[in-house]
């Protein structure tokens, strides 16, 4: 293991429920394996199909959860996060600068949030709500969100989080969003005429028919 770390090569999880920590380099948990907390500072995290981890976190790098894989929590600062079909995350899925994509049948038990980057649900379920500042949100056809949606205003202090562009929020055909859809900055909100949503604060609903706006 020390030799692998020294060479900066991808590290495979071989110990059941063992933690894997790296500074530089990607981490790879192979299909069907189990690991504890998986982390890196500068590197991507790849959790293959059917694998299970307690937590996967990095600072600079993407986090990829394969089909039917499971995790307690996923997080990165600068990088995208993707969940494969029928994967499950019991807790939060969070990034600062990066997109988030949930595949068909994926489930997130906690909150889904970022600051910058698109958030896309393809027939997925989020139980803890969705939050962003500058990202577009697409709650795709047949997706289900509990806990509402929040688009917060950019930080007006010394550090300005979020771009000046207007986020576009799309609620697709037969999608369901339970809870309040709250918008603390200007957005474009497009809702399918077959979707079901909760109360809307701070935006005007633009209805559309068909598969896409």
């Amino acid at each position: 293991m020390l030799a692998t770390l020294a060479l900066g090569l991808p590290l495979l999880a071989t110990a059941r429920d063992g933690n894997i920590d790296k500074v530089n380099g990607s981490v790879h948990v192979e299909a069907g394996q189990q690991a504890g907390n998986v982390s890196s500072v500068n590197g991507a995290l790849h959790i293959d199909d059917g694998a299970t981890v307690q937590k996967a976190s990095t600072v600079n790098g993407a986090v990829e959860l394969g089909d039917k894989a499971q995790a307690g929590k996923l997080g990165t600062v600068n990088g995208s996060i993707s969940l494969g079909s029928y994967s499950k995350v019991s807790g939060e899925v969070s990034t600062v600068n990066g997109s988030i994509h949930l595949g068909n049948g994926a489930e997130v038990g906690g909150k889904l949030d970022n600051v910058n980057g698109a958030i896309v649900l393809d027939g997925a379920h989020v139980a803890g709500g969705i939050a962003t500042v500058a990202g577009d949100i697409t709650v795709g056809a047949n997706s289900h969100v509990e806990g509402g949606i929040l688009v917060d205003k950019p930080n007006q202090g010394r550090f300005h989080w979020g771009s000046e562009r207007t986020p576009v929020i799309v609620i697709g055909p037969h999608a369901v969003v339970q809870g309040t859809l709250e918008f603390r900055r200007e957005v474009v909100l497009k809702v399918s005429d077959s979707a079901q949503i909760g109360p809307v604060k701070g935006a005007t609903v633009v209805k559309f028919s068909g598969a896409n706006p």
Side-chain angles (χ1 to χ4, degrees):
M1 184 179 292
L2 291 177
T4 304
L5 287 170
L7 291 171
L9 298 174
L11 181 61
L12 304 181
T14 56
R16 181 180 176 87
D17 296 330
N19 295 335
I20 304 173
D21 300 306
K22 295 193 72 176
V23 175
N24 296 304
S26 62
V27 177
H28 181 196
V29 181
E30 291 188 319
Q33 291 191 354
Q34 298 187 36
N37 294 332
V38 177
S39 65
S40 179
V41 177
N42 297 300
L45 308 179
H46 306 279
I47 293 78
D48 283 353
D49 296 352
T52 300
V53 299
Q54 293 178 11
K55 178 182 177 182
S57 61
T58 185
V59 177
N60 298 303
V63 180
E64 298 178 357
L65 192 66
D67 295 348
K68 297 182 180 179
Q70 299 186 46
K73 184 178 181 180
L74 301 178
T76 182
V77 177
N78 299 302
S80 62
I81 299 178
S82 63
L83 277 67
S85 298
Y86 301 101
S87 58
K88 293 183 179 181
V89 178
S90 59
E92 182 181 35
V93 174
S94 177
T95 179
V96 177
N97 299 302
S99 62
I100 302 175
H101 179 259
L102 273 59
N104 182 50
E107 296 187 15
V108 174
K111 186 178 180 182
L112 193 71
D113 75 304
N114 71 358
V115 175
N116 300 298
I119 296 176
V120 178
L121 278 63
D122 289 331
H125 175 214
V126 176
I130 298 175
T132 189
V133 173
D136 294 340
I137 298 174
T138 300
V139 180
N142 303 304
S143 294
H144 183 192
V145 176
E146 299 167 73
I149 291 174
L150 171 65
V151 178
D152 210 350
K153 60 185 178 181
N155 188 325
Q156 299 299 322
R158 180 178 178 184
F159 297 101
H160 185 82
W161 293 102
S163 70
E164 295 299 329
R165 65 175 293 277
T166 301
V168 177
I169 315 302
V170 177
I171 313 300
H174 306 290
V176 177
V177 180
Q178 296 175 272
T180 301
L181 290 74
E182 181 177 357
F183 306 102
R184 299 175 181 172
R185 60 176 298 180
E186 181 182 359
V187 302
V188 176
L189 175 60
K190 301 180 181 182
V191 180
S192 168
D193 54 14
S194 65
Q196 300 178 43
I197 63 173
V200 176
K201 296 175 61 176
T204 300
V205 173
V206 178
K207 290 283 189 176
F208 70 92
S209 58
N212 300 293

